[in-house]
Amino acid sequence: MASEKKVLGFEEVSKHNKTKDCWLIITGKVYDVTPFMDDHPGGDEVLLSSTGKDATNDFEDVGHSDTARDMMEKYYIGEIDSSSVPATRTYVAPAQPAYNQDKTPEFIIKILQFLVPILILGLALVVRQYTKKE
């Protein structure tokens, strides 16, 4: 690691989000993974999808080996200024549609979708039976 810790802002780090210039934030540290893009076992898309945010969860969820963690050392370029990292978004569930207690129209439509084809088939068989020449 570098002897002098460089502190980088989130805005600066998030600008580096291309294949030829890719920086990641993992556990508060910034890594320039550009030289590793072609060698990453998951492909460069995986790394690019983790740019512009704190990629710690993405990194930990995969379950990287100790060797992978040791490799990170050579890509280290500094620390992230934690005050510049935006707060994580909380999940807001979409609003549920109002409950429709009167399901009569839906029920009638489903019955008709079943009965109309059967009635048409029955009518076709009846017409065929009576118009058939013996």
Side-chain angles (χ1 to χ4, degrees):
M1 282 197 205
S3 59
E4 180 182 319
K5 287 186 181 179
K6 186 176 178 183
V7 178
L8 301 157
F10 182 79
E11 283 296 319
E12 171 64 25
V13 174
S14 63
K15 290 178 187 175
H16 301 273
N17 58 0
K18 297 174 181 54
T19 305
K20 302 286 185 198
D21 183 23
C22 183
W23 292 8
L24 296 178
I25 303 168
I26 301 172
T27 61
K29 297 177 181 175
V30 180
Y31 299 93
D32 181 359
V33 295
T34 307
F36 187 61
M37 296 293 280
D38 293 332
D39 300 328
H40 188 265
D44 60 354
E45 297 88 15
V46 174
L47 296 174
L48 288 172
S49 69
S50 297
T51 60
K53 63 178 183 176
D54 184 353
T56 304
N57 289 337
D58 295 344
F59 181 81
E60 295 298 335
D61 287 347
V62 174
H64 285 90
S65 65
D66 291 336
T67 306
R69 293 174 190 279
D70 292 340
M71 285 176 65
M72 291 172 59
E73 205 169 300
K74 65 182 171 185
Y75 302 114
Y76 174 82
I77 55 173
E79 302 285 321
I80 188 73
D81 178 11
S82 59
S83 65
S84 67
V85 178
T88 57
R89 298 180 200 139
T90 55
Y91 175 74
V92 177
Q96 295 292 326
Y99 179 69
N100 182 8
Q101 289 184 343
D102 182 25
K103 292 191 181 215
T104 307
E106 293 174 17
F107 180 71
I108 291 172
I109 290 172
K110 287 187 182 201
I111 294 275
L112 288 175
Q113 285 177 339
F114 177 73
L115 288 179
V116 169
I118 289 178
L119 289 173
I120 291 172
L121 180 64
L123 181 64
L125 289 173
V126 168
V127 169
R128 183 173 185 262
Q129 184 68 29
Y130 286 108
T131 58
K132 186 169 138 182
K133 292 181 181 176
E134 294 185 31

